[in-house]
mmCIF file of all heavy atoms in Angstrom:
data_model
loop_
_atom_site.group_PDB
_atom_site.id
_atom_site.type_symbol
_atom_site.label_atom_id
_atom_site.label_comp_id
_atom_site.label_asym_id
_atom_site.label_seq_id
_atom_site.Cartn_x
_atom_site.Cartn_y
_atom_site.Cartn_z
ATOM 1 N N GLY A 237 -30.429 13.191 2.933
ATOM 2 C CA GLY A 237 -30.883 11.809 2.818
ATOM 3 C C GLY A 237 -29.899 10.947 2.060
ATOM 4 O O GLY A 237 -29.648 9.783 2.425
ATOM 5 N N LEU A 238 -29.303 11.492 1.006
ATOM 6 C CA LEU A 238 -28.302 10.739 0.244
ATOM 7 C C LEU A 238 -27.061 10.474 1.091
ATOM 8 O O LEU A 238 -26.470 9.386 1.023
ATOM 9 C CB LEU A 238 -27.926 11.515 -1.013
ATOM 10 C CG LEU A 238 -29.047 11.709 -2.048
ATOM 11 C CD1 LEU A 238 -28.559 12.590 -3.188
ATOM 12 C CD2 LEU A 238 -29.542 10.373 -2.575
ATOM 13 N N ALA A 239 -26.668 11.459 1.878
ATOM 14 C CA ALA A 239 -25.505 11.273 2.758
ATOM 15 C C ALA A 239 -25.774 10.188 3.795
ATOM 16 O O ALA A 239 -24.876 9.387 4.116
ATOM 17 C CB ALA A 239 -25.146 12.591 3.441
ATOM 18 N N ASP A 240 -26.982 10.137 4.315
ATOM 19 C CA ASP A 240 -27.350 9.060 5.241
ATOM 20 C C ASP A 240 -27.171 7.696 4.588
ATOM 21 O O ASP A 240 -26.660 6.754 5.214
ATOM 22 C CB ASP A 240 -28.809 9.229 5.691
ATOM 23 C CG ASP A 240 -28.937 10.108 6.924
ATOM 24 O OD1 ASP A 240 -28.076 10.022 7.821
ATOM 25 O OD2 ASP A 240 -29.906 10.875 6.999
ATOM 26 N N ARG A 241 -27.588 7.579 3.331
ATOM 27 C CA ARG A 241 -27.456 6.311 2.603
ATOM 28 C C ARG A 241 -25.997 5.919 2.443
ATOM 29 O O ARG A 241 -25.623 4.754 2.622
ATOM 30 C CB ARG A 241 -28.115 6.425 1.225
ATOM 31 C CG ARG A 241 -29.609 6.291 1.226
ATOM 32 C CD ARG A 241 -30.183 6.566 -0.159
ATOM 33 N NE ARG A 241 -29.508 5.828 -1.215
ATOM 34 C CZ ARG A 241 -29.679 6.049 -2.509
ATOM 35 N NH1 ARG A 241 -30.499 7.037 -2.910
ATOM 36 N NH2 ARG A 241 -29.047 5.323 -3.418
ATOM 37 N N VAL A 242 -25.159 6.882 2.109
ATOM 38 C CA VAL A 242 -23.737 6.589 1.919
ATOM 39 C C VAL A 242 -23.110 6.111 3.222
ATOM 40 O O VAL A 242 -22.355 5.126 3.246
ATOM 41 C CB VAL A 242 -23.005 7.832 1.383
ATOM 42 C CG1 VAL A 242 -21.499 7.572 1.324
ATOM 43 C CG2 VAL A 242 -23.523 8.205 -0.001
ATOM 44 N N LEU A 243 -23.423 6.800 4.319
ATOM 45 C CA LEU A 243 -22.822 6.444 5.601
ATOM 46 C C LEU A 243 -23.320 5.105 6.131
ATOM 47 O O LEU A 243 -22.648 4.470 6.959
ATOM 48 C CB LEU A 243 -23.090 7.551 6.626
ATOM 49 C CG LEU A 243 -22.349 8.868 6.371
ATOM 50 C CD1 LEU A 243 -22.776 9.930 7.381
ATOM 51 C CD2 LEU A 243 -20.834 8.670 6.431
ATOM 52 N N ALA A 244 -24.488 4.663 5.672
ATOM 53 C CA ALA A 244 -25.024 3.375 6.111
ATOM 54 C C ALA A 244 -24.354 2.194 5.409
ATOM 55 O O ALA A 244 -24.507 1.040 5.835
ATOM 56 C CB ALA A 244 -26.528 3.329 5.858
ATOM 57 N N ASP A 245 -23.598 2.460 4.354
ATOM 58 C CA ASP A 245 -22.915 1.406 3.600
ATOM 59 C C ASP A 245 -21.655 0.980 4.358
ATOM 60 O O ASP A 245 -20.768 1.804 4.599
ATOM 61 C CB ASP A 245 -22.553 1.943 2.215
ATOM 62 C CG ASP A 245 -21.909 0.889 1.322
ATOM 63 O OD1 ASP A 245 -21.542 -0.191 1.816
ATOM 64 O OD2 ASP A 245 -21.760 1.154 0.107
ATOM 65 N N PRO A 246 -21.516 -0.286 4.738
ATOM 66 C CA PRO A 246 -20.353 -0.727 5.527
ATOM 67 C C PRO A 246 -19.113 -1.031 4.697
ATOM 68 O O PRO A 246 -18.079 -1.441 5.261
ATOM 69 C CB PRO A 246 -20.869 -2.003 6.193
ATOM 70 C CG PRO A 246 -21.818 -2.574 5.172
ATOM 71 C CD PRO A 246 -22.472 -1.384 4.505
ATOM 72 N N THR A 247 -19.160 -0.837 3.388
ATOM 73 C CA THR A 247 -18.071 -1.288 2.520
ATOM 74 C C THR A 247 -16.719 -0.687 2.903
ATOM 75 O O THR A 247 -15.692 -1.389 2.913
ATOM 76 C CB THR A 247 -18.379 -0.960 1.048
ATOM 77 O OG1 THR A 247 -19.655 -1.508 0.700
ATOM 78 C CG2 THR A 247 -17.316 -1.533 0.135
ATOM 79 N N ALA A 248 -16.685 0.608 3.197
ATOM 80 C CA ALA A 248 -15.406 1.251 3.512
ATOM 81 C C ALA A 248 -14.743 0.600 4.721
ATOM 82 O O ALA A 248 -13.539 0.299 4.693
ATOM 83 C CB ALA A 248 -15.621 2.740 3.752
ATOM 84 N N ALA A 249 -15.509 0.379 5.777
ATOM 85 C CA ALA A 249 -14.943 -0.242 6.975
ATOM 86 C C ALA A 249 -14.514 -1.678 6.694
ATOM 87 O O ALA A 249 -13.497 -2.154 7.224
ATOM 88 C CB ALA A 249 -15.960 -0.199 8.106
ATOM 89 N N GLU A 250 -15.273 -2.368 5.859
ATOM 90 C CA GLU A 250 -14.934 -3.755 5.537
ATOM 91 C C GLU A 250 -13.651 -3.850 4.710
ATOM 92 O O GLU A 250 -12.919 -4.849 4.797
ATOM 93 C CB GLU A 250 -16.093 -4.395 4.773
ATOM 94 C CG GLU A 250 -17.349 -4.591 5.618
ATOM 95 C CD GLU A 250 -18.567 -4.995 4.808
ATOM 96 O OE1 GLU A 250 -18.489 -4.994 3.561
ATOM 97 O OE2 GLU A 250 -19.606 -5.299 5.421
ATOM 98 N N LEU A 251 -13.365 -2.824 3.921
ATOM 99 C CA LEU A 251 -12.168 -2.840 3.077
ATOM 100 C C LEU A 251 -10.907 -2.428 3.826
ATOM 101 O O LEU A 251 -9.791 -2.689 3.354
ATOM 102 C CB LEU A 251 -12.363 -1.902 1.883
ATOM 103 C CG LEU A 251 -13.283 -2.383 0.774
ATOM 104 C CD1 LEU A 251 -13.528 -1.263 -0.233
ATOM 105 C CD2 LEU A 251 -12.683 -3.607 0.068
ATOM 106 N N ALA A 252 -11.047 -1.784 4.969
ATOM 107 C CA ALA A 252 -9.881 -1.239 5.671
ATOM 108 C C ALA A 252 -8.785 -2.275 5.933
ATOM 109 O O ALA A 252 -7.592 -1.977 5.726
ATOM 110 C CB ALA A 252 -10.328 -0.580 6.978
ATOM 111 N N PRO A 253 -9.108 -3.497 6.384
ATOM 112 C CA PRO A 253 -8.028 -4.463 6.631
ATOM 113 C C PRO A 253 -7.186 -4.773 5.398
ATOM 114 O O PRO A 253 -6.021 -5.169 5.523
ATOM 115 C CB PRO A 253 -8.789 -5.712 7.112
ATOM 116 C CG PRO A 253 -10.067 -5.176 7.687
ATOM 117 C CD PRO A 253 -10.421 -4.015 6.812
ATOM 118 N N ARG A 254 -7.759 -4.567 4.216
ATOM 119 C CA ARG A 254 -7.010 -4.820 2.978
ATOM 120 C C ARG A 254 -5.760 -3.952 2.888
ATOM 121 O O ARG A 254 -4.749 -4.355 2.291
ATOM 122 C CB ARG A 254 -7.946 -4.542 1.796
ATOM 123 C CG ARG A 254 -7.352 -4.772 0.414
ATOM 124 C CD ARG A 254 -8.338 -4.304 -0.664
ATOM 125 N NE ARG A 254 -7.876 -4.636 -2.005
ATOM 126 C CZ ARG A 254 -8.254 -5.698 -2.694
ATOM 127 N NH1 ARG A 254 -9.129 -6.541 -2.149
ATOM 128 N NH2 ARG A 254 -7.791 -5.926 -3.906
ATOM 129 N N TYR A 255 -5.828 -2.771 3.508
ATOM 130 C CA TYR A 255 -4.729 -1.805 3.392
ATOM 131 C C TYR A 255 -3.947 -1.648 4.702
ATOM 132 O O TYR A 255 -3.136 -0.739 4.830
ATOM 133 C CB TYR A 255 -5.281 -0.450 2.942
ATOM 134 C CG TYR A 255 -6.140 -0.584 1.701
ATOM 135 C CD1 TYR A 255 -7.528 -0.459 1.786
ATOM 136 C CD2 TYR A 255 -5.574 -0.878 0.479
ATOM 137 C CE1 TYR A 255 -8.320 -0.618 0.659
ATOM 138 C CE2 TYR A 255 -6.361 -1.041 -0.660
ATOM 139 C CZ TYR A 255 -7.736 -0.912 -0.561
ATOM 140 O OH TYR A 255 -8.519 -1.081 -1.677
ATOM 141 N N ARG A 256 -4.171 -2.557 5.620
ATOM 142 C CA ARG A 256 -3.545 -2.435 6.947
ATOM 143 C C ARG A 256 -2.030 -2.383 6.866
ATOM 144 O O ARG A 256 -1.379 -1.648 7.627
ATOM 145 C CB ARG A 256 -3.993 -3.606 7.828
ATOM 146 C CG ARG A 256 -3.408 -3.554 9.234
ATOM 147 C CD ARG A 256 -3.883 -4.719 10.074
ATOM 148 N NE ARG A 256 -3.288 -4.694 11.401
ATOM 149 C CZ ARG A 256 -3.448 -5.650 12.309
ATOM 150 N NH1 ARG A 256 -4.188 -6.716 12.025
ATOM 151 N NH2 ARG A 256 -2.872 -5.559 13.487
ATOM 152 N N PHE A 257 -1.450 -3.151 5.970
ATOM 153 C CA PHE A 257 0.010 -3.244 5.916
ATOM 154 C C PHE A 257 0.596 -2.478 4.731
ATOM 155 O O PHE A 257 1.766 -2.678 4.379
ATOM 156 C CB PHE A 257 0.439 -4.713 5.872
ATOM 157 C CG PHE A 257 0.006 -5.485 7.094
ATOM 158 C CD1 PHE A 257 -1.031 -6.393 7.026
ATOM 159 C CD2 PHE A 257 0.610 -5.261 8.319
ATOM 160 C CE1 PHE A 257 -1.447 -7.092 8.152
ATOM 161 C CE2 PHE A 257 0.200 -5.942 9.458
ATOM 162 C CZ PHE A 257 -0.834 -6.865 9.369
ATOM 163 N N ALA A 258 -0.180 -1.612 4.142
ATOM 164 C CA ALA A 258 0.337 -0.807 3.034
ATOM 165 C C ALA A 258 1.448 0.114 3.535
ATOM 166 O O ALA A 258 1.357 0.695 4.619
ATOM 167 C CB ALA A 258 -0.784 0.013 2.404
ATOM 168 N N ALA A 259 2.494 0.268 2.730
ATOM 169 C CA ALA A 259 3.600 1.156 3.095
ATOM 170 C C ALA A 259 3.378 2.563 2.568
ATOM 171 O O ALA A 259 3.902 3.530 3.130
ATOM 172 C CB ALA A 259 4.914 0.609 2.564
ATOM 173 N N ARG A 260 2.618 2.685 1.493
ATOM 174 C CA ARG A 260 2.272 3.982 0.930
ATOM 175 C C ARG A 260 1.049 3.813 0.044
ATOM 176 O O ARG A 260 0.679 2.680 -0.296
ATOM 177 C CB ARG A 260 3.437 4.574 0.132
ATOM 178 C CG ARG A 260 3.896 3.763 -1.049
ATOM 179 C CD ARG A 260 5.174 4.345 -1.633
ATOM 180 N NE ARG A 260 5.623 3.645 -2.836
ATOM 181 C CZ ARG A 260 6.314 2.519 -2.839
ATOM 182 N NH1 ARG A 260 6.638 1.958 -1.679
ATOM 183 N NH2 ARG A 260 6.700 1.946 -3.976
ATOM 184 N N LEU A 261 0.459 4.906 -0.340
ATOM 185 C CA LEU A 261 -0.786 4.857 -1.094
ATOM 186 C C LEU A 261 -0.867 6.086 -1.988
ATOM 187 O O LEU A 261 -0.325 7.146 -1.661
ATOM 188 C CB LEU A 261 -1.978 4.788 -0.122
ATOM 189 C CG LEU A 261 -3.372 4.582 -0.680
ATOM 190 C CD1 LEU A 261 -4.192 3.689 0.265
ATOM 191 C CD2 LEU A 261 -4.102 5.918 -0.840
ATOM 192 N N VAL A 262 -1.550 5.953 -3.112
ATOM 193 C CA VAL A 262 -1.757 7.054 -4.039
ATOM 194 C C VAL A 262 -3.249 7.331 -4.138
ATOM 195 O O VAL A 262 -4.066 6.396 -4.178
ATOM 196 C CB VAL A 262 -1.197 6.717 -5.436
ATOM 197 C CG1 VAL A 262 -1.631 7.751 -6.476
ATOM 198 C CG2 VAL A 262 0.326 6.634 -5.386
ATOM 199 N N THR A 263 -3.628 8.601 -4.163
ATOM 200 C CA THR A 263 -5.019 8.971 -4.421
ATOM 201 C C THR A 263 -5.058 9.838 -5.673
ATOM 202 O O THR A 263 -4.125 10.596 -5.953
ATOM 203 C CB THR A 263 -5.647 9.742 -3.251
ATOM 204 O OG1 THR A 263 -4.993 11.019 -3.110
ATOM 205 C CG2 THR A 263 -5.533 8.967 -1.947
ATOM 206 N N THR A 264 -6.159 9.736 -6.412
ATOM 207 C CA THR A 264 -6.239 10.482 -7.665
ATOM 208 C C THR A 264 -7.687 10.775 -8.044
ATOM 209 O O THR A 264 -8.606 10.051 -7.662
ATOM 210 C CB THR A 264 -5.535 9.695 -8.802
ATOM 211 O OG1 THR A 264 -5.545 10.466 -10.003
ATOM 212 C CG2 THR A 264 -6.215 8.356 -9.061
ATOM 213 N N GLY A 265 -7.885 11.842 -8.777
ATOM 214 C CA GLY A 265 -9.196 12.235 -9.275
ATOM 215 C C GLY A 265 -9.019 13.399 -10.230
ATOM 216 O O GLY A 265 -7.930 13.998 -10.303
ATOM 217 N N ARG A 266 -10.083 13.729 -10.954
ATOM 218 C CA ARG A 266 -10.012 14.870 -11.875
ATOM 219 C C ARG A 266 -11.202 15.784 -11.648
ATOM 220 O O ARG A 266 -12.269 15.356 -11.200
ATOM 221 C CB ARG A 266 -9.986 14.404 -13.327
ATOM 222 C CG ARG A 266 -8.681 13.726 -13.718
ATOM 223 C CD ARG A 266 -8.443 13.761 -15.212
ATOM 224 N NE ARG A 266 -8.212 15.129 -15.700
ATOM 225 C CZ ARG A 266 -7.948 15.414 -16.973
ATOM 226 N NH1 ARG A 266 -7.891 14.449 -17.875
ATOM 227 N NH2 ARG A 266 -7.747 16.663 -17.347
#
């Protein structure tokens, strides 16, 4: 049920154009 809620959030798709012209990207976590 929690996964359904996350997938229903359109934010990720809405943010994608922000990075359309990125030349490189860094990801990080601990």
